[in-house]
């Protein structure tokens, strides 16, 4: 009797059970499969932006694609390099172009375009190297806000902590040293290094309490990079 009651109920809900099983299985598989559809949509959007010469939008889309962690299309580094070139980010453009050629070589679909872009980059990259107004990546430099471009700073001596004196290491700052004579008796003598004072003039600041050291913010260069692309021309200040 029990089998006859259970059989119809199971048969009635069998399609539902199968549907749930396949839904769970598909969801589990999908979690481990890259969203290639999203990658394709991003690439199409970026290329469309490049077509209308909207390189700022193309740049944003390419960066979203990189940040997503999804597999990158083989030709993507070339298109991104072209976009960066149009935006004046020549060092970044060169880096992505080199990566494209490293991955695809002469078999790449845009190999000819990559060679042409390499030629176009030669001049701008040379200008960056020769310019004294920008960093090695082509971004404008500005005076360090910490040292004001002086490269070094005067500050309290770190060795003596601004006291100008330090304890004598020979006598452990006691002013006395001990020796054992031939009878194994301990004898006390005035420290010949500090003259019995137990203290010495700081060898780092020579008692001035101050030291001049390299600015830690700019690393002693006196300048910091900005996000402004350098035009390699000095700014004329109007009086």
């Amino acid at each position: 009797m029990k089998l006859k009651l259970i059989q119809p109920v199971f048969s009635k809900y069998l399609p539902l059970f199968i549907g749930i099983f396949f839904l769970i299985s598909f969801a589990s598989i999908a979690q481990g499969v890259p969203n290639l559809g999203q990658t394709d949509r991003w690439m199409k959007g970026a290329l469309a932006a490049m077509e209308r010469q909207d390189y700022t939008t193309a740049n944003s889309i390419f960066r979203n694609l990189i940040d997503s962690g999804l597999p990158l299309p083989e030709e993507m580094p070339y298109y991104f390099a072209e976009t960066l070139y149009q935006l004046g980010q020549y060092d970044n453009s060169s880096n992505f172009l080199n990566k494209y050629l490293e991955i695809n070589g002469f078999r790449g679909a845009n190999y000819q375009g990559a060679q042409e872009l390499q030629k176009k980059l030669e001049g701008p990259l040379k200008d960056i190297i020769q310019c004294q107004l920008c960093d090695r990546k082509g971004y404008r430099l500005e005076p360090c806000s910490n040292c004001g471009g002086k490269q070094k700073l005067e500050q309290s001596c770190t060795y003596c902590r601004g006291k100008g004196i330090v304890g004598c290491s020979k006598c452990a700052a006691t002013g006395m040293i001990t020796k054992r004579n031939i009878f194994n008796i301990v004898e006390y003598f005035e420290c010949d290094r500090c003259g019995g004072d137990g203290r010495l003039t700081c060898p780092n600041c020579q008692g001035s309490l101050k030291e001049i050291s390299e600015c830690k913010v700019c690393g002693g260069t006196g300048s910091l990079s900005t996000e402004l692309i350098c035009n390699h021309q000095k700014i004329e200040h109007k009086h």
Side-chain angles (χ1 to χ4, degrees):
M1 288 295 291
K2 289 182 179 180
L3 288 175
K4 290 181 180 180
L5 290 173
I6 293 173
Q7 184 69 25
V9 173
F10 182 78
S11 299
K12 179 180 179 181
Y13 291 102
L14 181 60
L16 179 61
F17 292 150
I18 294 174
I20 293 173
F21 171 78
F22 277 109
L23 184 62
I24 294 173
S25 299
F26 179 77
S28 299
I29 294 171
Q31 289 179 356
V33 177
N35 189 351
L36 299 179
Q38 180 62 47
T39 299
D40 188 53
R41 285 191 292 272
W42 266 327
M43 277 298 295
K44 288 180 178 178
L47 293 177
M50 292 179 70
E51 280 286 330
R52 58 179 185 271
Q53 298 185 351
D54 183 2
Y55 296 105
T56 300
T57 297
N59 176 53
S60 179
I61 296 173
F62 282 132
R63 292 190 181 280
N64 286 337
L65 179 54
I66 293 171
D67 293 340
S68 72
L70 295 172
L72 301 178
E74 288 184 353
E75 298 302 311
M76 179 269 179
Y78 165 74
Y79 290 116
F80 193 26
E82 183 68 46
T83 296
L84 293 169
Y85 173 82
Q86 296 296 337
L87 293 174
Q89 298 182 33
Y90 302 120
D91 182 74
N92 285 339
S93 175
S94 178
N95 290 336
F96 274 92
L97 186 62
N98 290 337
K99 180 58 65 175
Y100 172 76
L101 292 171
E102 178 185 324
I103 294 172
N104 299 289
F106 64 88
R107 294 186 297 274
N110 287 285
Y111 177 69
Q112 187 65 36
Q115 285 188 312
E116 293 174 2
L117 182 55
Q118 266 189 329
K119 280 288 183 184
K120 290 192 293 184
L121 280 166
E122 287 179 1
L125 291 176
K126 183 178 179 180
D127 291 339
I128 289 174
I129 293 173
Q130 294 177 342
C131 181
Q132 302 298 314
L133 304 173
C134 62
D135 62 14
R136 298 302 87 185
K137 294 185 178 181
Y139 292 97
R140 192 84 177 193
L141 294 172
E142 65 178 8
C144 174
S145 56
N146 190 49
C147 67
K150 296 178 180 178
Q151 302 179 343
K152 295 183 179 182
L153 288 172
E154 184 180 276
Q155 57 189 4
S156 294
C157 179
T158 54
Y159 190 77
C160 66
R161 299 183 181 180
K163 296 177 181 178
I165 54 174
V166 293
C168 176
S169 58
K170 185 172 183 178
C171 63
T174 64
M176 303 294 290
I177 57 175
T178 59
K179 293 181 180 178
R180 289 184 179 274
N181 60 26
I182 58 174
F183 303 105
N184 202 30
I185 298 174
V186 177
E187 295 182 319
Y188 293 86
F189 300 90
E190 184 181 90
C191 178
D192 58 349
R193 187 182 183 196
C194 64
D197 290 335
R199 301 179 301 177
L200 294 168
T201 300
C202 176
N204 190 50
C205 69
Q206 305 302 323
S208 68
L209 314 185
K210 300 289 184 179
E211 70 174 357
I212 297 176
S213 60
E214 182 181 273
C215 176
K216 293 180 174 57
V217 174
C218 64
T221 63
S223 57
L224 296 171
S225 298
T226 66
E227 295 183 357
L228 181 66
I229 294 175
C230 185
N231 60 3
H232 314 309
Q233 297 178 3
K234 289 184 178 180
I235 299 175
E236 297 293 337
H237 297 283
K238 295 181 180 181
H239 299 287

